[in-house]
Structure formats: structure tokens, C-alpha cells
């Protein structure tokens, strides 16, 4: 991109994902001049909905599709997405885990209804997740905090911590006696694309499963882009700007500013800052680990997925991996650098709850990810199809069109996904507890006024905007002397 050094602004944000936009909105609402630079031609990073040209009138979420954190996030709650026209549609079934023989684990919003369907494991499910769901603010406080503040809800923190220790260790087999309940929880843990069991995976599982019962796993009407559009509209309304197709390769290409916030991986931050970065910081960021990967397959179907278990067809999200043991084997293979014979597949069927996603002739999008080793060039279309067909015979006969993006090509549409790592870093215990490097401020970029605000920083991946919000709050205090946070609530029209 061309240089803009002749201009000067208060703050520059590199990257227009949910975290970058959250940072930009927070700074702009504080009265600062803000410019956002996005390398892609479309805005939104991990929250974009595009026409892939697979079928007329059918659009696809290119990254994230289901958004429990959009409901739970303190930042997005204050922003009030509903007041900005974003409709978050909740399916009757939050998520499901199909099993052989027509069985399935089914997670409803209600803990009691879920437990009733888990037979002899119902009481154990209720004891584990009921208290977390009942205190969703406490759950968010401990699981989605900035990793430096002391959680305020001590009882929920203790319950969460004990649950993480149990489900993240070999003791994970002690609570449940059947097949459905452990599979149902493990499918959620597998979102981390790491070995199972592990403490980081169990932490994610208890948070997401608790949120399923506490706030639901909704799908935005029209796609994830609606969340991005709401953020961009607020930024523009407060004087901010967004430049697309503007890849940043060196700090010298950017306007002079008092704060630079990177909604990028540490790899990009180091490249852009170059020799300006202290050697010690550069070495620390160079040690930042990237993780296992996902390959994406977008399908267009001529009808609903024909799941054997009818209630699976009511779910907005389906974890297609079989039993707990099968998923653990698949994730172990991926961690060892081998493609799994039966990979873990995540599937979202937005038309289950959003009929507007159905195009002419009844064609509908289906969104899938398959877990693969980092940098894999494998075309996983057949592997994904076979896994879904296993629990939904006739699925392949409904496929009208498909598009695969191998893991090695995922960063072509989002530089924060190197080698297909959609979590922007390996989900390790060190990253979860400490952040991207050993430093008191996990958002510090190594130079005064430079911040890391992406999914690589706390609290990690997800469409919640919290990494950007936390980093912007630090920038407001340290760089601009603003200690009072700006309101995020929508302004009422004059005369209303």
C-alpha cells in the first residue's frame, strides 16, 4: 500500500475482524480519530458472509457461523446488537452429537431437558453444567476475562476450575457412564483442535456448553456479516474510517498515530514493526506457537440434511465425530501430523433457524470444518461427506455444489489463520493463562502505544470483540489519559 505518513490520527487499527472493530469503536466513541486498515477487500475477518458463486441467492459464512459469545460478551451486550438490527436466531436444539445406530446427544437451552435425554448420565450433566449456566456472568468473567483481573464470582470460578481439572485430565471418564453425555461434551471440547483430554479443551467445553444452556448458540439472520456491519456502522457514525485492500507490511506505511492496535497474529506484528521492536520482545513473539488446523468445505444442498436422529435436524450446530473415544483418536492423529481416517467435523445448517438463507429452488448452504494437521493441502470434501453420510444416509445425493479451502490456503482469505490455524495460535495452557508472551500486559506489543488485540491475545478466539475492547481500554488510559470508558449504547435519535 502507499504511504500515508503525511496524515496524522489518534489511533490506527490494523485488521477489521471483530476484535479490531471493537477496538476502533471503543476509541472512536471516546472522541478519538481512528483509521482501520484491512488487507482483504471485504470487512469482517472471521465474521464475514459472502456469495461464493456456488448457487444463486445462497450466501455462506466464510469463517464463524454460530455465536454464543455474541450474546455473552460484555462488549457486545453493551453495544446492544438487537437495537442495531442484528437478529440472533436461536434454534430449538443448540448443538447435537449424532452417534451410530440412530442415537444422539442433544443439547437444548434447558439443562433439565438436556439431562432428561441423557438417561443415567442426566444427573451428572446437571451437576456439572447447571451451576455454570445459572451464573452466566460469572462464567464469562472467569472464562473470557483479560487474564490479569481477579474474577469477581468466586464460587462459579471454583466450580469452573474443578470442572476443568476433571474433564481435562484422565479423570474425565469418571463422571459419565453412558455414551451420549461424554460424546456431547467432547464434541464441544474439540472446537480447540487439540489433544483430548486437555485442560484448555475442557475449559472451552465447559464455557461453551454452559453458554448453550445460559444464553444459547444463536445464528444471525442473514449471516455473521450482520454483526460486522453493525460494528462498522457505529464506527463510521463516530468519525472512524476503514480502508480495504490495504495490506500493511511496514509501520512506515501508516499514518502517524499515538496508538497502533494490531488485530493480527504476533507474526504480522513482528513483520510490520521490524527492527523497531526490542529484540527480546521479537524473540518472545517468535516463540509463539501456532496450532493444528481446519479445512473448510461449503456445501449447497437441495434439501435438509437427512439425519437419522430427527432431533439432530433441529440443531444449528452438529459435531460429527462419533463417540468420545473416536474424537480423541482423531484429534491425536491430527496433533501427530497425520490426517485422521474419520476426522472431527463441525457442521452448521443456518437454514434450520433462518429460512431466509434458502435460495431459489430450495437450495441451502451448509457450513463445515474438518480438523487436519497444520499446513495440510488435503482436499477433505470426500472425508467430510463420508462422515456426515455416516449419520445422515443420503446426504451426498443432496449435494448440488461444494467448495473446499484446504488448511494450507486458509490464510489466503484471512492472514490470521496461518496454515489453517483458525484459533490464531495453539490452544495451550500457557496461552490461556499467560497470553501470547510472558509479560504483565498480555496486550502490549513491545513498544509504547503498540497493542496486540486479536484472537492471539486474551481471551482468545471467538466473535466477542473482547480482545479489542480490553486493548482499547488500556490504550485510552495509557496513551490518552482517558480513564472513563465511553458508553457503547446506541444513541437515541433526537426527539425520540
Amino acid at each position: 500500500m502507499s504511504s500515508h505518513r503525511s496524515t496524522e490520527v489518534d489511533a490506527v487499527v490494523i485488521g477489521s475482524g471483530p476484535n479490531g472493530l471493537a477496538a476502533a469503536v471503543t476509541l472512536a466513541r471516546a472522541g478519538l480519530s481512528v483509521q482501520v486498515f484491512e488487507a482483504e477487500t471485504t470487512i469482517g475477518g472471521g465474521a464475514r458472509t459472502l456469495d461464493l458463486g456456488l448457487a444463486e441467492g445462497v450466501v455462506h459464512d466464510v469463517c464463524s457461523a454460530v455465536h454464543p459469545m455474541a450474546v455473552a460478551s460484555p462488549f457486545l451486550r453493551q453495544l446492544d446488537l438487537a437495537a442495531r438490527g442484528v437478529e440472533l436466531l436461536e434454534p430449538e436444539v443448540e448443538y447435537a452429537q449424532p452417534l451410530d445406530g440412530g442415537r444422539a446427544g442433544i443439547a437444548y437451552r434447558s439443562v433439565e431437558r438436556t439431562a432428561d435425554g441423557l438417561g443415567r448420565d442426566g444427573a451428572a450433566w446437571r451437576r456439572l453444567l447447571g451451576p455454570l449456566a445459572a451464573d452466566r456472568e460469572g462464567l464469562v468473567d472467569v472464562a473470557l476475562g483479560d487474564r490479569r483481573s481477579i474474577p469477581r464470582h468466586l464460587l462459579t470460578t471454583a466450580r469452573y476450575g474443578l470442572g476443568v481439572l476433571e474433564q481435562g485430565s484422565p479423570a474425565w471418564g469418571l463422571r459419565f457412564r453412558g455414551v451420549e453425555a461424554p460424546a456431547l461434551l467432547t464434541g464441544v471440547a474439540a472446537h480447540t483442535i487439540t489433544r483430548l483430554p486437555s485442560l484448555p479443551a475442557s475449559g472451552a467445553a465447559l464455557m461453551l456448553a454452559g453458554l448453550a444452556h445460559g444464553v444459547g448458540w444463536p445464528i444471525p439472520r442473514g449471516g455473521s456479516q450482520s454483526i460486522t456491519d453493525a460494528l462498522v456502522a457505529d464506527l463510521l457514525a463516530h468519525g472512524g474510517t476503514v480502508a480495504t485492500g490495504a495490506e500493511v507490511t511496514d509501520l512506515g506505511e501508516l499514518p502517524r498515530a499515538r496508538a497502533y492496535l494490531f488485530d493480527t497474529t504476533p507474526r504480522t506484528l513482528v513483520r510490520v514493526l521490524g527492527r523497531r521492536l526490542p529484540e527480546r520482545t521479537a524473540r518472545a513473539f517468535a516463540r509463539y506457537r501456532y496450532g493444528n488446523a481446519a479445512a473448510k468445505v461449503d456445501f449447497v444442498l437441495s434439501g435438509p440434511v437427512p439425519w437419522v436422529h430427527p432431533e439432530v435436524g433441529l440443531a444449528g450446530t452438529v459435531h460429527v465425530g462419533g463417540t468420545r473415544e473416536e474424537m480423541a483418536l482423531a484429534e491425536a492423529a491430527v496433533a501427530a501430523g497425520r490426517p485422521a481416517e474419520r476426522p472431527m467435523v463441525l457442521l452448521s445448517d443456518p437454514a434450520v433457524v433462518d429460512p431466509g438463507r434458502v435460495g431459489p429452488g430450495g437450495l441451502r448452504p451448509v457450513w463445515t470444518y474438518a480438523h487436519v494437521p497444520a499446513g495440510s493441502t488435503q482436499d477433505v470434501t470426500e472425508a467430510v461427506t463420508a462422515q456426515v453420510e455416516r449419520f445422515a444416509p443420503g446426504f451426498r445425493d443432496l449435494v448440488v455444489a461444494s467448495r473446499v479451502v484446504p488448511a494450507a490456503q486458509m490464510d489466503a482469505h484471512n492472514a490470521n489463520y496461518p496454515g489453517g490455524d483458525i484459533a490464531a495460535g495453539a490452544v495451550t495452557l500457557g496461552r490461556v493463562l499467560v497470553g501470547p508472551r510472558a509479560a504483565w500486559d498480555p496486550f502490549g506489543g513491545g513498544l509504547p502505544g503498540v497493542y496486540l488485540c486479536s484472537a492471539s491475545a486474551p481471551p482468545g478466539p471467538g466473535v466477542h470483540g473482547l480482545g479489542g475492547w480490553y486493548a482499547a481500554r488500556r490504550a485510552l488510559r495509557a496513551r490518552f489519559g482517558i480513564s472513563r470508558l465511553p458508553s457503547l449504547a446506541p444513541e437515541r435519535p433526537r426527539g425520540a
Side-chain angles (χ1 to χ4, degrees), residues 165-434:
L165 290 173
E166 174 198 298
Q167 290 300 309
S169 71
W172 76 336
L174 300 179
R175 177 174 293 268
F176 301 119
R177 295 290 181 265
V179 176
E180 288 85 353
L184 189 61
L185 188 60
T186 304
V188 185
H191 281 242
T192 55
I193 322 182
T194 190
R195 288 185 182 274
L196 302 170
S198 74
L199 295 177
S202 66
L206 293 184
M207 175 196 54
L208 291 171
L211 290 180
H213 296 310
V215 301
W217 282 20
I219 294 175
R221 186 183 297 280
S224 299
Q225 190 73 44
S226 64
I227 298 174
T228 293
D229 291 346
L231 288 166
V232 172
D234 192 82
L235 173 63
L236 299 179
H238 289 86
T241 63
V242 182
T244 57
E247 182 179 5
V248 178
T249 60
D250 186 84
L251 192 66
E253 300 166 345
L254 293 169
R256 294 181 180 87
R258 292 171 66 185
Y260 296 89
L261 293 92
F262 284 75
D263 183 12
T264 71
T265 68
R267 181 181 298 179
T268 299
L269 184 148
V270 171
R271 186 183 73 243
V272 170
L273 295 181
R275 294 185 177 179
R276 304 173 185 87
L277 199 63
E279 186 176 345
R280 181 178 178 182
T281 305
R283 286 199 307 268
F285 279 140
R287 290 193 295 269
Y288 182 76
R289 286 178 53 197
Y290 294 91
N292 301 319
K296 181 86 183 302
V297 185
D298 291 295
F299 292 97
V300 175
L301 303 186
S302 59
V305 180
W307 302 106
V308 173
H309 193 295
E311 287 181 276
V312 177
L314 302 175
T317 304
V318 183
H319 302 129
V320 189
T323 65
R324 167 173 273 188
E325 292 74 20
E326 288 180 290
M327 289 181 281
L329 285 173
E331 297 301 271
V334 168
R338 304 188 308 271
E341 182 178 349
R342 286 180 162 178
M344 181 67 204
V345 173
L346 274 67
L347 181 148
S348 175
D349 187 354
V352 164
V353 71
D354 183 2
R357 298 292 294 271
V358 179
L363 300 182
R364 55 200 283 150
V366 165
W367 172 109
T368 68
Y369 274 137
H371 295 174
V372 295
S376 169
T377 59
Q378 178 189 5
D379 180 338
V380 298
T381 305
E382 176 53 33
V384 170
T385 301
Q387 273 287 68
V388 179
E389 180 85 11
R390 173 183 169 192
F391 306 105
F395 170 78
R396 70 169 69 245
D397 297 330
L398 298 176
V399 176
V400 174
S402 66
R403 185 193 79 152
V404 63
V405 182
Q409 298 176 21
M410 289 289 285
D411 59 359
H413 70 267
N414 192 328
N416 284 5
Y417 298 164
D421 176 6
I422 59 174
V427 184
T428 64
L429 189 60
R431 175 189 173 187
V432 169
L433 295 179
V434 177

Side-chain angles (χ1 to χ4, degrees), residues 11-30 32 34-40 42-49 64 73 75-76 79 81 84 86 224-244 260-264 414 416 451-455 462-473 476 486-488:
V12 167
V13 177
I14 300 94
S16 71
N19 282 308
L21 292 175
V25 164
T26 303
L27 296 169
R29 277 180 162 263
L32 305 180
V34 182
Q35 290 189 8
V36 178
F37 292 88
E38 169 56 52
E40 298 297 314
T42 53
I43 300 170
R48 287 180 287 168
T49 307
S64 61
S73 163
F75 168 77
L76 291 175
L79 198 73
L81 291 174
R84 300 169 186 276
V86 178
S224 299
Q225 190 73 44
S226 64
I227 298 174
T228 293
D229 291 346
L231 288 166
V232 172
D234 192 82
L235 173 63
L236 299 179
H238 289 86
T241 63
V242 182
T244 57
Y260 296 89
L261 293 92
F262 284 75
D263 183 12
T264 71
N414 192 328
N416 284 5
Y451 302 88
L452 185 69
C453 69
S454 68
V463 177
H464 44 60
L466 293 174
W469 192 43
Y470 294 147
R473 288 159 57 173
L476 286 174
S487 169
L488 298 172

Side-chain angles (χ1 to χ4, degrees), residues 77-142:
R77 286 207 313 270
Q78 289 185 38
L79 198 73
D80 195 348
L81 291 174
R84 300 169 186 276
V86 178
E87 290 187 75
L88 295 173
L89 307 173
E90 187 178 350
E92 182 176 343
V93 172
E94 306 298 343
Y95 62 92
Q97 184 82 31
L99 298 164
D100 291 323
R103 298 172 300 162
I106 306 294
Y108 302 96
R109 176 73 170 273
S110 166
V111 174
E112 294 301 323
R113 187 179 178 189
T114 303
D116 288 345
L118 295 175
R120 57 180 174 169
D121 282 330
W125 185 274
R126 189 183 298 111
R127 287 193 299 270
L128 180 64
L129 291 165
L132 299 180
D135 184 16
R136 67 184 190 187
E137 288 191 8
L139 178 59
V140 169
D141 187 37
V142 63

